[in-house]
Structure formats: C-alpha cells, structure tokens
Amino acid sequence: MTSIEARAREITARYRGKEGVLVHILEDLQEEFGYLPEEALAVVAAERGLSLAEIYGVASFYARFYFTPRGKNIIRVCTGTACHVRGASRVLAKLEEGLGLKCGETSPDLKYTLETVSCVGCCALAPVVVVNERTQQVLDPGKVLSVLKKE
Ligand code: FES
C-alpha cells in the first residue's frame, strides 16, 4: 500500500457509515494532497461501494477539484473584458514565455501553475494577475514576471 492509499484510507474512514458525504471526502483528499490522486480515488470507490467512474463523475462536476498536481504558486491571469481590452493576452504570453509553461500547465518542479480566470472584480486595475490570493496590477506586461518575485 502506498502512502497516498494509506492516508486516503484514514480520511475515508472518518466518514464510514455516513451518507451524502462524497464531496466532503473529496474536499479532504484535495486538502491533503493538493489534488485528487487516482489511487486515493480508488480507495474512496472501494470504501463507498462505487465505481471509479462514478467518483470521477462527481469530482469532475466541480471546477474546484483537480486531478493533477498543482504548483505551490497558482498564477491566474484575468482574461475578463476589462483586462482583455487592456492587454491580458500580452500578459499571459509573457508569463508563458518566462515560465516555459502553457496556460493550464504546472512546472515540473511544482513551483508554478499558470491559469486564466474571468473577472476578479478589480477591473479599475486592469490588467491584473492573481498570484495565490493576491491580486496585482500589471502596469507593464513586459515586466510581469516581477510580480512573482514578491511571492
Ligand atoms: S476583467 Fe479583469 S478584473 Fe475585471
């Protein structure tokens, strides 16, 4: 048994005998591992008497669950209308170039995950990048990598 399987068993056991708790189990697993490893989902499937496909069916319904490891730093480029008009595509291109990642990818060292996000409610600052939970204005898309140095 791998350490992931062992930990998944412990987490799943907390909910033994309880109904309607699958999403809570998935949340706990994601909090533990940062994503939902297949071997952990297989443990849940066996424990709950469900197929792996059923587990994936539920988990994939929610955008907040991830099936691959995520970076320590989550970089989200806002591509909402205001940010789009003010250069979000240049910001994204510079980040892709600088990090050597395409949007949606995580660096092999798990340091960064690069994503886009719709409006984050700071349109007056457009274009913006959200690094982890911090929203930052990008005054010069050519220097956007400097926002990462603050993390
Ligand atoms: S469109 Fe980017 S913050 Fe609103």
Side-chain angles (χ1 to χ4, degrees):
M1 181 187 311
T2 67
S3 61
I4 288 177
E5 288 170 329
R7 191 68 189 115
R9 277 179 197 245
E10 290 173 19
I11 290 169
T12 306
R14 293 181 202 152
Y15 294 94
R16 198 167 285 150
K18 296 179 183 167
E19 295 298 320
V21 294
L22 181 55
V23 171
H24 298 301
I25 295 171
L26 297 176
E27 288 170 339
D28 287 359
L29 292 172
Q30 183 154 288
E31 187 175 323
E32 176 73 18
F33 302 114
Y35 73 109
L36 298 176
E38 183 171 336
E39 57 196 300
L41 296 182
V43 168
V44 177
E47 177 74 26
R48 304 300 295 184
L50 299 167
S51 71
L52 194 54
E54 287 172 308
I55 302 288
Y56 271 111
V58 171
S60 62
F61 178 79
Y62 299 95
R64 66 180 186 269
F65 291 125
Y66 303 103
F67 302 101
T68 55
R70 312 250 303 146
K72 179 175 176 278
N73 297 290
I74 309 296
I75 304 158
R76 296 184 176 100
V77 177
C78 179
T79 55
T81 303
C83 289
H84 173 74
V85 167
R86 299 189 71 181
S89 58
R90 273 194 65 213
V91 171
L92 180 59
K94 286 291 179 187
L95 282 167
E96 287 181 331
E97 179 187 324
L99 295 171
L101 297 173
K102 289 289 178 199
C103 184
E105 291 182 344
T106 296
S107 59
D109 62 1
L110 300 181
K111 195 167 180 187
Y112 299 110
T113 293
L114 181 61
E115 302 176 332
T116 58
V117 65
S118 297
C119 180
V120 294
C122 301
C123 304
L125 299 177
V128 299
V129 169
V130 182
V131 182
N132 299 322
E133 298 306 317
R134 190 152 50 126
T135 302
Q136 299 181 51
Q137 183 177 31
V138 180
L139 294 172
D140 180 353
K143 296 179 180 169
V144 67
L145 286 175
S146 65
V147 303
L148 304 180
K149 293 183 180 139
K150 297 173 187 166
E151 297 305 314

